Amino acid sequence: MSWTDERIDLLQKLWLQGMSASRIAAELANGLTRNAVIGKVYRLGLSGRTKVGGVTSPSPRPQQKAPSRAPNPRPTSPMVQGNTALAIKPAALEAPAPLPSRDVVVSMSEPVTILELRESMCRWPIGDPTAAEFRYCGARKTPGEGPYCSHHARIAYVPQQDRRRERRIQKSA
DNA sequence: CCCTGATTCGC
DNA sequence: GCGAATCAGG
């Protein structure tokens, strides 16, 4: 598959929304890697996401080929990133104030699709597994073997300390 | 170690 | 033009 206009369009949209390359790649679901996404973005001249605030960073992208080799003229753009980056996009600032949803738990990183789910991520299911919107918690898994983040682990393993003494007495045997 | 984007470079 | 490899960093 190649970069169709539609795909490029979506790519731009997502990229400008602040979505990370890896997520976009996963979203476009095509075996595309984040490298492919980044590479395309680069070619499109979209690299160096303009930050919010209108301060149009000069995004100096010398499209010219450096004779020998440009060691690393890395401007080190100020970008919010990392697993915990909340994809703060311009749209978010313009968007209506988030309704005081009451059940927004402390979930940091947004839920992830199964494609984005990694071994180190919480597998707590979010939503209807049969729905397309089904996601997993995706937060950092608690070290060890727990398939869940610490938060969900507690919910999952609410042990049965309270369990009725199931097998009462089986003395007579 | 997980992740991020940027750049280079062979195809 | 494409994207893996690499680089540079958080």
Side-chain angles (χ1 to χ4, degrees):
Chain A
M1 224 154 183
S2 57
W3 286 103
T4 64
D5 287 0
E6 308 162 15
R7 207 182 305 273
I8 292 176
D9 203 63
L10 180 55
L11 166 64
Q12 294 197 17
K13 199 176 351 180
L14 295 176
W15 179 261
L16 293 175
Q17 275 183 2
M19 187 170 278
S20 74
S22 62
R23 289 208 53 162
I24 293 175
E27 206 67 38
L28 294 180
N30 267 293
L32 274 186
T33 65
R34 73 182 198 91
N35 285 35
V37 171
I38 290 177
K40 184 59 182 173
V41 166
Y42 183 74
R43 262 169 260 126
L44 288 172
L46 292 174
S47 57
R49 276 187 268 218
T50 308
K51 217 185 67 177
V52 192
V55 178
T56 311
S57 297
S59 6
R61 240 180 334 295
Q63 201 64 42
Q64 51 183 276
K65 48 184 71 173
S68 303
R69 168 196 333 181
N72 38 358
R74 245 170 268 285
T76 311
S77 331
M79 42 187 177
V80 185
Q81 60 184 65
N83 202 13
T84 55
L86 291 180
I88 304 171
K89 55 232 174 188
L93 298 180
E94 302 170 14
L99 298 178
S101 7
R102 39 225 162 71
D103 55 348
V104 170
V105 191
V106 191
S107 62
M108 292 174 50
S109 50
E110 316 163 17
V112 298
T113 68
I114 192 170
L115 291 169
E116 304 153 1
L117 188 63
R118 305 196 134 301
E119 184 49 39
S120 62
M121 293 177 165
C122 175
R123 282 177 159 57
W124 188 266
I126 306 276
D128 180 356
T130 67
E133 284 67 37
F134 179 66
R135 300 284 147 94
Y136 290 96
C137 168
R140 240 184 98 82
K141 218 167 64 170
T142 185
E145 312 252 321
Y148 308 119
C149 64
S150 57
H151 174 215
H152 286 131
R154 242 172 309 185
I155 298 178
Y157 298 134
V158 77
Q160 342 180 310
Q161 51 173 206
D162 224 355
R163 211 160 175 189
R164 313 300 200 241
R165 301 175 212 239
E166 32 191 307
R167 28 185 316 106
R168 281 144 242 194
I169 322 84
Q170 183 156 3
K171 37 174 60 170
S172 56

